[in-house]
Amino acid sequence: MSLQTIATRLVDLCNQGKNFDVMHTMYAPDIVSVEPTGQATVGKSQVIEKSERWAAGVTIHGETVLGPFFHGADQFATQTTFDVTRKSTGERVTLQEVTVYTVKDDLITREQFFFGGETW
Amino acid sequence: MSLQTIATRLVDLCNQGKNFDVMHTMYAPDIVSVEPTGQATVGKSQVIEKSERWAAGVTIHGETVLGPFFHGADQFATQTTFDVTRKSTGERVTLQEVTVYTVKDDLITREQFFFGGETW
């Protein structure tokens, strides 16, 4: 598959709220997921569990993904806006992030999150 | 200065269309600017000249910059939408990109462009 095909598929699925479909079908077994703090989570199941923990803490009202934006032969970026309510506080907030993905052998091997402002 | 201060200043200036003010005042002498193709331009004056060549080929009607989005101690990203007319064709187009910036000693040492779709 081309990088364009992979990236467009990811954006389309995320715009349908199917982020976990992306993780289960498009992540490499040894994917590295790097948080804005620099903390890295290694391994497909570990990264999915991390996302499950985040998703369990919020009610997601909507998700809008811009992109893909391409760089080089193996990278693309997206810009995502989440409309969520934090279950712990009941607060409804807009969360914005940029994600940079690296692809190898048709699978995502690295995702690097950039978070907006003080809102995360 | 904090990374937040630097990144917010960049976003504010670009949202005012003052991209060249950013380049002249916030770029390190040895900045590396990496195009979506992977091609790198090294050096502040060389990078400014590259941008001047691009700007000379378009009429910029508007520029909207989202962000900053932070990653680690020294990186941030932005998402930019340009509304331009290409002087060569008269075609008015919307150009979208994500840029990842690296900061050292209060100056931008690297910028990495991710371009949207087939539009660039």
Side-chain angles (χ1 to χ4, degrees), chain B residues 13-63:
Chain B
L13 285 170
C14 289
N15 270 319
Q16 297 172 49
K18 296 179 177 176
N19 298 53
F20 284 100
D21 285 7
V22 168
M23 298 178 217
H24 283 286
T25 64
M26 300 177 70
Y27 276 13
D30 58 350
I31 184 173
V32 178
S33 177
V34 190
E35 295 295 319
T37 57
Q39 186 180 8
T41 302
V42 181
K44 180 174 175 175
S45 63
Q46 288 84 349
V47 174
I48 291 174
E49 285 165 18
K50 170 169 69 81
S51 295
E52 286 173 340
R53 284 195 297 274
W54 179 78
V58 294
T59 301
I60 301 174
H61 307 291
E63 176 182 1

Side-chain angles (χ1 to χ4, degrees), chain A residues 56-98:
Chain A
V58 294
T59 301
I60 300 175
H61 307 290
E63 176 182 3
T64 305
V65 183
L66 301 181
F69 306 95
F70 296 100
H71 182 91
D74 64 351
Q75 288 195 305
F76 68 94
T78 59
Q79 193 277 315
T80 302
T81 302
F82 281 109
D83 172 13
V84 305
T85 296
R86 298 186 200 278
K87 292 181 182 172
S88 59
T89 62
E91 180 191 20
R92 185 164 179 167
V93 291
T94 299
L95 307 178
Q96 291 200 310
E97 68 182 16
V98 163

Side-chain angles (χ1 to χ4, degrees), chain A residues 20 23 49-60 85 87:
Chain A
F20 284 101
M23 296 177 219
E49 285 165 17
K50 170 168 70 81
S51 295
E52 286 173 342
R53 284 194 297 275
W54 179 77
V58 294
T59 301
I60 300 175
T85 296
K87 292 181 182 172

Side-chain angles (χ1 to χ4, degrees), chain B residues 62-82:
Chain B
E63 176 182 1
T64 305
V65 183
L66 301 181
F69 306 95
F70 296 100
H71 181 90
D74 64 351
Q75 287 194 307
F76 68 94
T78 59
Q79 193 275 317
T80 302
T81 302
F82 281 107

